[in-house]
Amino acid sequence: GWAATFGGSVQAVAGGGLLGTGIAVAGVLFAIVVVLVSSVPLVMAVWYAPALAYFHDMTARNAMRASFEAVARNGVAFLVYGLFIMLILFFGALSLGLGLVVAAPVIACSIYVSYRDVFLGT
């Protein structure tokens, strides 16, 4: 997958012309979309898994299953939440990563608060 996509992109650019560049950009964008879409289930499974394993003494498999189910039940909320997190990370990275020093703890705290809300109702 990756080698074919990027190899074709490099070959299209090396061939020159506007069409070659368009093909290269399309290949890279396609690869990015495939990676983002395929990583969503993994993110859903590991979102609450550490807290569930620690606070509820669950096995990794059970914690990941419970995390996936909780995120799936609250899909729209997590879509909006994820967009805000991406925005925070984007603006945090603009300052050569210095903003991430503030963004990372804020995001970690917000994940804990959302865990408490989803699983404990507090």
Side-chain angles (χ1 to χ4, degrees):
W2 283 99
T5 301
F6 289 112
S9 300
V10 170
Q11 183 180 5
V13 171
L18 188 58
L19 180 62
T21 304
I23 292 171
V25 169
V28 170
L29 289 177
F30 178 73
I32 290 171
V33 168
V34 167
V35 167
L36 286 176
V37 168
S38 63
S39 67
V40 168
L42 178 64
V43 170
M44 290 171 65
V46 299
W47 194 260
Y48 292 128
L52 290 170
Y54 183 77
F55 293 121
H56 298 274
D57 199 29
M58 290 183 167
T59 64
R61 181 184 305 241
N62 290 340
M64 290 175 73
R65 182 178 296 124
S67 174
F68 185 89
E69 291 169 357
V71 173
R73 279 193 313 265
N74 300 296
V76 176
F78 278 95
L79 177 66
V80 173
Y81 184 64
L83 292 174
F84 276 115
I85 286 179
M86 286 181 9
L87 223 90
I88 290 170
L89 290 174
F90 173 76
F91 286 114
L94 282 179
S95 61
L96 300 176
L98 291 176
L100 297 177
V101 172
V102 173
V106 169
I107 291 170
C109 290
S110 73
I111 291 171
Y112 175 72
V113 169
S114 70
Y115 150 77
R116 288 185 53 97
D117 187 44
V118 170
F119 288 97
L120 304 177
T122 58

